[in-house]
Amino acid sequence: MASLGSPITIVRPHLIEFGIGTAGKLGRWAAEKNYRRTLVISDAFNASRIDVLELKGEVTVFSEVTPEPDTANLDNVLAVANAADAELIVGFGGGSAMDLAKLAAVLAGSTQTLHEVVGPNKVNGPRKVGLAQVPTTSGTGSEAGIRALVTDPKTMAKLAVESLHMLADIAVVDPALTFSVPARTTAATGVDAMAHCVEAFTNRKAHPMVDIYAIEGTRLVGRYLARAVKDGNDAEARAGLALASLYGGFCLGPVNTAGGHALAYPLGTRWHVAHGAANALIFPHVLAFNTPAAAEKTKAVMAALGYETAENIASVFDAAYAFCAELGIEMKLSGLGVPESDLDAMADDAFAIRRLLDNNPRDLTRADIRSIYAAAF
């Protein structure tokens, strides 16, 4: 793990508006920038409430964002973006909407294709349009980052694009937009936010400059997630989770996730399990597996969640599993409709995600991954 003297690059959206009732600040900011044509990329529900953004001028709405978007969904977004000739692109929704907004901002009107920009730092710049992000869930932290992912339906693999040109000009984080998120989704996305923080904190690339966000994001989830699941209108709890999600996004840029996300991805790409639900199910298994390689940091994580005595593999697993299960999260692969016959293929897929597995504090072999899936079945 990195020391204080290790080089690190930190990026943030140029402007972050945070707090209940801030959604309308986007429209005022856009007017000051003299943006006349705006494209909002959203799902159907959030598209029905874009008035809260108070956008002026000509507003085009793409309302067909799908969970775990694939390349076909991106192609549809790009067709609308090219026709709209927007000066500002807004991601309004969860991580799927915000990731598609990032990609639209750099690919619409560009000679580059998606496959030409997959990987780090392959996007030609500078970007020609403004980019704003407005999250409506507390989980991905995508509003703060420079990565975007879509699924290739042919290979069932995630295509990851990373570029500073996908950094938002403004992120508006209004916790009031999350009040309507159902309890089950609140629970899963909250654990996803925590997983971002925990995987960055225990990462081989972990850095003291990021650790402060990672452990505080974990504490916020430990303090507020159960409250928000119990009462979706608990404004303080919703704000705490929104901040945890933002902090998780801060962790993703310079450090990124590790084994937990690598094992969760095949659930989404192969079986369309929501990203948050997949990460929540996998979380206790990988956290416990990593404990011998990151004992002190795992102890700090468990303390942040309110479990002062969880120190060895068994106690860490039991406590982390209980934390998730008590939120009402489905913790068995079989309960999510994943057939046992697919575990080998999932293990192959996960083992191939080296960009994340190579960050894991303890080496995860293909056999280890298959054993975790079996234990989670």
Side-chain angles (χ1 to χ4, degrees), residues 144-167:
I146 59 172
R147 290 187 178 91
L149 294 94
V150 291
T151 299
D152 183 337
K154 294 180 181 178
T155 63
M156 289 188 285
K158 293 273 189 180
L159 303 177
V161 180
E162 177 184 343
S163 173
L164 284 170
H165 298 302
M166 296 195 302
L167 184 66

Side-chain angles (χ1 to χ4, degrees), residues 65-357:
V65 171
T66 60
E68 303 295 315
D70 61 12
T71 53
N73 203 197
L74 175 61
D75 288 342
N76 292 336
V77 169
L78 293 178
V80 173
N82 286 324
D85 191 26
E87 297 170 327
L88 172 66
I89 292 178
V90 179
F92 184 42
S96 298
M98 291 188 285
D99 278 9
L100 289 176
K102 290 176 188 176
L103 292 169
V106 297
L107 291 178
S110 170
T111 59
Q112 289 186 292
T113 66
L114 171 64
H115 287 277
E116 288 173 336
V117 299
V118 170
N121 308 315
K122 295 182 180 180
V123 174
N124 294 335
R127 191 177 68 224
K128 298 176 183 178
V129 299
L131 177 61
Q133 301 283 25
V134 186
T136 61
T137 62
S138 297
T140 67
S142 187
E143 68 273 11
I146 59 172
R147 290 187 178 91
L149 294 94
V150 291
T151 299
D152 183 337
K154 294 180 181 178
T155 63
M156 289 188 285
K158 293 273 189 180
L159 303 177
V161 180
E162 177 184 343
S163 173
L164 284 170
H165 298 302
M166 296 195 302
L167 184 66
D169 298 304
I170 181 173
V172 180
V173 185
D174 185 345
L177 296 172
T178 69
F179 285 5
S180 58
V181 177
R184 187 176 297 275
T185 305
T186 296
T189 54
V191 176
D192 184 30
M194 178 179 67
H196 293 159
C197 294
V198 171
E199 290 180 42
F201 189 62
T202 57
N203 202 295
R204 282 178 174 164
K205 297 178 183 175
H207 194 284
M209 196 169 178
V210 174
D211 282 354
I212 189 170
Y213 294 112
I215 196 63
E216 181 59 20
T218 305
R219 287 194 191 100
L220 287 166
V221 172
R223 186 179 308 149
Y224 291 118
L225 182 52
R227 276 177 52 178
V229 170
K230 182 178 180 181
D231 178 7
N233 292 314
D234 184 332
E236 182 183 42
R238 288 296 193 183
L241 292 180
L243 188 57
S245 182
L246 182 66
Y247 283 175
F250 289 170
C251 294
L252 294 181
V255 176
N256 208 4
T257 53
H261 271 65
L263 270 66
Y265 279 150
L267 278 69
T269 56
R270 299 182 70 88
W271 293 102
H272 306 292
V273 175
H275 179 69
N279 273 292
L281 186 151
I282 292 296
F283 174 73
H285 295 273
V286 175
L287 182 67
F289 177 88
N290 287 339
T291 296
E296 287 304 310
K297 284 199 164 184
T298 302
K299 184 177 179 181
V301 165
M302 299 315 298
L305 295 178
Y307 298 94
E308 295 288 350
T309 59
E311 297 182 11
N312 57 45
I313 290 177
S315 63
V316 167
F317 176 81
D318 289 345
Y321 187 96
F323 180 86
C324 296
E326 288 168 5
L327 295 167
I329 296 170
E330 174 57 59
M331 297 302 292
K332 294 292 184 182
L333 290 173
S334 54
L336 293 173
V338 176
E340 191 171 11
S341 60
D342 205 46
L343 299 189
D344 282 312
M346 287 168 51
D348 291 338
D349 289 354
F351 187 63
I353 307 175
R354 303 315 311 175
R355 67 184 181 85
L356 300 184
L357 287 182

Side-chain angles (χ1 to χ4, degrees), residues 13-71:
H14 299 297
L15 177 63
I16 298 174
E17 296 283 2
F18 182 95
I20 290 174
T22 57
K25 289 189 174 183
L26 177 61
R28 295 191 283 278
W29 172 86
E32 290 172 0
K33 295 290 185 180
N34 199 32
Y35 289 124
R36 297 161 296 174
R37 296 185 304 279
T38 300
L39 170 63
V40 178
I41 297 172
S42 188
D43 57 89
F45 170 72
N46 286 301
S48 70
R49 56 174 181 166
I50 63 167
D51 288 351
V52 300
L53 304 178
E54 300 182 19
L55 293 165
K56 309 298 182 185
E58 183 180 336
V59 179
T60 301
V61 181
F62 178 91
S63 61
E64 299 173 12
V65 171
T66 60
E68 303 295 315
D70 61 12
T71 53

